[in-house]
């Protein structure tokens, strides 16, 4: 099993990373919390990995911290939660926010994750309550759909929308989320737009 890789980041196209390890390119999926923590392209990086093996594919998942990988492994042990859903959950909230959702019985926040229905959210709360350390609630800015469009490049918005669709959001929902994330600012890259759009999950 591949547990950790160190090399140079070649590509960061959410939700995929490409890491060059001594001439071998390892492609992996990663939650957005990992994208925020990793350095820019062409810089050295170390990721903790999990290899998911199924009848149809071998998928590699990468995480900036060992604790994030451990949380991912805890999530996929919950009935009905696969790797893709776990990545979507960890893209919208970090460990502290997820713990707050679980200990506050916040079903509403969890069902905002694509693919998570009410029953799965309730199952997550029940099965994770004893596995996650209780954490205080976190504050999140609620994004209004009426936020005016700033000077954000069209290709950045398109890239951000594509990333959300890859995480499981419907195209119309992804467009709406990114539109809500665009604020009055001089510029915003795709990663920042995704971060702002996903803030709504843990709120």
């Amino acid at each position: 099993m591949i547990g950790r890789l160190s090399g140079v980041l070649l590509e960061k196209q959410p939700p995929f990373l490409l890491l060059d390890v001594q001439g071998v390119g390892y492609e992996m999926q990663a939650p957005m919390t990992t994208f925020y923590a990793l350095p820019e392209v062409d810089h050295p990086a170390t990721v903790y990995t999990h290899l998911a093996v199924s009848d149809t594919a071998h998928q590699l998942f990468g995480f900036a911290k060992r604790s994030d990988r451990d949380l991912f492994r805890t999530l996929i042990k919950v009935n009905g939660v696969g790797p893709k859903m776990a990545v979507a959950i960890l893209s919208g909230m970090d460990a502290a926010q997820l713990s707050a959702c679980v200990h506050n019985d916040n079903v509403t926040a969890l069902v905002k994750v694509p693919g998570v229905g009410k029953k799965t959210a309730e199952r997550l709360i029940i099965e994770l309550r004893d596995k996650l350390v209780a954490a205080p609630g976190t504050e999140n800015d609620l994004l209004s759909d009426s936020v005016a469009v700033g000077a954000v490049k069209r290709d950045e918005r398109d890239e951000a929308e594509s990333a959300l669709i890859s995480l499981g959001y419907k195209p119309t929902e992804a467009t709406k989320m990114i539109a809500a994330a665009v604020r009055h600012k001089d510029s915003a890259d795709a990663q920042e737009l995704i971060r702002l759009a996903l803030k709504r999950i843990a709120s």
Side-chain angles (χ1 to χ4, degrees):
M1 170 125 4
I2 302 172
R4 190 184 76 166
L5 292 170
S6 293
V8 177
L9 273 175
L10 295 182
E11 295 180 10
K12 291 175 70 177
Q13 298 290 332
F16 292 98
L17 296 170
L18 184 63
L19 186 70
D20 184 322
V21 181
Q22 297 182 349
V24 179
Y26 288 87
E27 185 181 68
M28 64 197 79
Q29 295 184 55
M32 289 309 303
T33 46
T34 288
F35 277 84
Y36 307 146
L38 290 177
E40 295 303 314
V41 171
D42 295 330
H43 285 71
T46 295
V47 293
Y48 294 89
T49 58
H50 174 87
L51 180 63
V53 179
S54 68
D55 293 337
T56 57
H58 289 197
Q59 294 178 299
L60 193 62
F61 296 87
F63 306 89
K65 298 185 293 185
R66 185 194 300 269
S67 58
D68 290 339
R69 183 188 63 185
D70 293 343
L71 181 54
F72 172 85
R73 288 175 171 173
T74 298
L75 283 170
I76 61 176
K77 289 179 182 177
V78 176
N79 185 31
V81 178
K84 184 175 182 178
M85 185 182 294
V87 166
I89 292 171
L90 295 180
S91 289
M93 57 187 76
D94 58 23
Q97 292 168 329
L98 177 58
S99 180
C101 284
V102 168
H103 290 280
N104 293 329
D105 294 329
N106 194 343
V107 172
T108 301
L110 291 171
V111 296
K112 292 178 181 177
V113 177
V116 177
K118 184 177 180 181
K119 289 184 178 179
T120 300
E122 292 172 344
R123 191 179 303 119
L124 280 164
I125 289 171
I126 292 171
E127 296 191 27
L128 296 180
R129 183 173 285 118
D130 295 333
K131 298 176 182 178
L132 299 181
V133 176
T138 55
E139 295 183 358
N140 293 274
D141 295 329
L142 292 176
L143 300 175
S144 170
D145 289 340
S146 62
V147 175
V149 176
V152 179
K153 294 180 179 179
R154 180 72 250 179
D155 57 346
E156 298 288 356
R157 296 181 67 180
D158 290 343
E159 182 179 336
E161 289 179 15
S162 295
L164 291 180
I165 293 170
S166 296
L167 288 172
Y169 291 94
K170 295 179 180 178
T172 52
E173 188 175 13
T175 299
K176 184 178 179 180
M177 290 170 68
I178 295 303
V182 176
R183 295 172 177 271
H184 289 291
K185 55 170 57 178
D186 292 335
S187 64
D189 61 16
Q191 186 168 298
E192 176 68 5
L193 290 176
I194 297 166
R195 184 184 69 80
L196 291 171
L198 290 173
K199 269 190 173 185
R200 76 186 191 97
I201 291 180
S203 59

